Amino acid sequence: MLALTSVVAGAALALSACSNSSDDDAAAGGSTASGPADYGDLAVQLSWIKNSEFLGEYMADTNGYYKDAGFSKVNLVAGPSTGVAELVSKKADVALSDAVSVGTAVANEDAPVKIIGTTYQKNPFTVLSLKDGANISTPQDLVGKKIGVQDSNLSLFQALLAANGIDKSKVTVVPVQYDPSVLTNGEVDGYIAYLTNESIIVENEGHAVTNLPFADNGLPFVAETFTVTDDSIKNDRAELEAFLTAEIKGWKDALKDPAGAIAVDQKSYGQDLKLDAKTEAQSADAQAKLIESDDTTTNGLFTISDELQQETLKSLEGAGLKLEASDLFDMSLLDDVYKAHPELKG
């Protein structure tokens, strides 16, 4: 559980060096009648390391969309992190997170945050196992197994167990970091991973793998969510709408030319990680299937339909978290972006 109690009280977010702009400024695409907007710097807390997971952010930065939107600089801060603590403590202005982590903080800690859009329509979380090992293909296969779970993903895993009626005492949780070698060397039977990341990495190492996707087993919640504070929604709408506009443009470029976006990542943002081009290409292909849907085709990227909101809330309820859509989501900013820029829907 996120330890937010000490920072939630009285927390309010003011976007770094931002001016008090009107909603009309955002509708104008980040500019005002007197010239381009000047929102200053923006800090974005990423959920993971700087790999292909954030190709849209890299393209928004590289192609000048953040600058066009009125930001002098957008700082992409590498994770791993759920981002909620950074938002509430004012270390970040926007966080890429997931609905279970955010919902847990809202329900249990009264964190003053909301989701304003999502990159992934379908979350990529999975219990990864080896086909010639534990071969965990159904939720019941988890019983009696040792599962490697990162601290930030503990609430997610507990939600998976709850959604499938599995007593958590029947599963041994082994605290791990973000290295799947604990699975391949036999320390654990299963490992909490991403379908778009560790699952591909382990398979490329020559292991036949089995996945137990969360989304197909009771937890169809949204992930890589754009999460902000309630205060910023109230007081910094123009800046947030400008940011979303730049993000949409960046992700449209990344989806259109993933190879080009990966090349930019390898040469710049993820250069120090020595990213494998083959793995990154496979990851980009896998995540494209999670980003685009019938809803996004009709209504635009980052859309969270009423139906998907309800599916997400049902996932949370299975974990004992009872929230209303208005407690967790505010789609009004994205609605305003697409009203101002209908050409971005296509």
Side-chain angles (χ1 to χ4, degrees):
M1 182 182 300
L2 296 171
L4 301 176
T5 305
S6 62
V7 293
V8 165
L13 176 65
L15 294 179
S16 305
C18 288
S19 61
N20 292 323
S21 305
S22 69
D23 291 347
D24 290 340
D25 296 340
S31 62
T32 67
S34 59
D38 182 9
Y39 298 138
D41 292 356
L42 189 82
V44 179
Q45 177 62 56
L46 305 179
S47 61
W48 188 235
I49 59 175
K50 291 183 179 179
N51 64 358
S52 60
E53 200 165 314
F54 309 105
L55 293 179
E57 281 71 38
Y58 308 148
M59 299 313 290
D61 191 25
T62 299
N63 292 341
Y65 300 140
Y66 290 143
K67 183 177 180 180
D68 292 345
F71 298 104
S72 55
K73 184 178 181 181
V74 172
N75 299 304
L76 302 174
V77 183
S81 175
T82 65
V84 180
E86 287 86 347
L87 285 174
V88 176
S89 62
K90 306 181 186 180
K91 293 180 180 178
D93 302 312
V94 179
L96 290 170
S97 189
D98 67 85
V100 172
S101 295
V102 176
T104 298
V106 172
N108 291 345
E109 300 289 344
D110 199 27
V113 297
K114 283 189 176 63
I115 293 168
I116 60 172
T118 191
T119 312
Y120 293 163
Q121 295 285 296
K122 185 177 181 180
N123 80 76
F125 286 97
T126 184
V127 179
L128 177 66
S129 62
L130 302 182
K131 194 171 290 292
D132 61 359
N135 193 33
I136 299 170
S137 60
T138 72
Q140 288 303 314
D141 291 338
L142 293 166
V143 175
K145 301 298 194 302
K146 295 185 296 182
I147 308 299
V149 184
Q150 305 82 4
D151 182 62
S152 64
N153 290 330
L154 182 57
S155 62
L156 296 172
F157 182 60
Q158 291 175 340
L160 179 69
L161 296 179
N164 290 280
I166 299 173
D167 189 327
K168 61 183 180 181
S169 67
K170 302 295 185 181
V171 181
T172 300
V173 170
V174 179
V176 297
Q177 298 301 314
Y178 296 89
D179 182 355
S181 64
V182 294
L183 174 67
T184 57
N185 67 22
E187 292 180 46
V188 296
D189 300 308
Y191 177 86
I192 303 304
Y194 256 27
L195 292 166
T196 57
N197 190 10
E198 296 95 340
S199 179
I200 293 171
I201 291 172
V202 172
E203 192 166 29
N204 283 345
E205 289 175 349
H207 303 278
V209 302
T210 300
N211 281 290
L212 183 69
F214 283 36
D216 298 333
N217 290 278
L219 292 180
F221 58 87
V222 292
E224 293 304 344
T225 57
F226 295 102
T227 306
V228 299
T229 64
D230 295 341
D231 183 77
S232 64
I233 292 173
K234 179 180 178 181
N235 296 310
D236 299 298
R237 292 185 67 87
E239 292 90 332
L240 293 177
E241 289 175 14
F243 169 75
L244 288 171
T245 301
E247 284 282 319
I248 293 166
K249 292 178 180 178
W251 270 108
K252 286 172 74 71
D253 285 359
L255 291 167
K256 183 178 181 180
D257 181 18
I262 289 168
V264 168
D265 182 20
Q266 287 187 297
K267 293 177 182 178
S268 182
Y269 303 91
Q271 183 180 27
D272 294 341
L273 300 176
K274 296 180 172 57
L275 300 168
D276 177 70
K278 176 184 175 182
T279 300
E280 292 298 282
Q282 290 173 310
S283 295
D285 182 63
Q287 76 176 356
K289 296 178 176 66
L290 303 176
I291 293 171
E292 297 178 295
S293 68
D294 290 342
D295 283 334
T296 62
T297 298
T298 301
N299 301 310
L301 294 177
F302 310 157
T303 295
I304 309 177
S305 67
D306 290 344
E307 180 181 359
L308 188 52
Q309 289 181 41
Q310 290 305 315
E311 288 179 356
T312 296
L313 293 172
K314 186 176 180 180
S315 296
L316 297 178
E317 189 172 351
L321 304 172
K322 293 186 178 181
L323 295 170
E324 299 293 329
S326 59
D327 297 327
L328 189 59
F329 301 103
D330 187 333
M331 303 307 298
S332 64
L333 293 97
L334 191 62
D335 289 342
D336 286 346
V337 167
Y338 282 122
K339 287 177 183 177
H341 302 285
E343 73 280 2
L344 293 179
K345 284 188 177 183

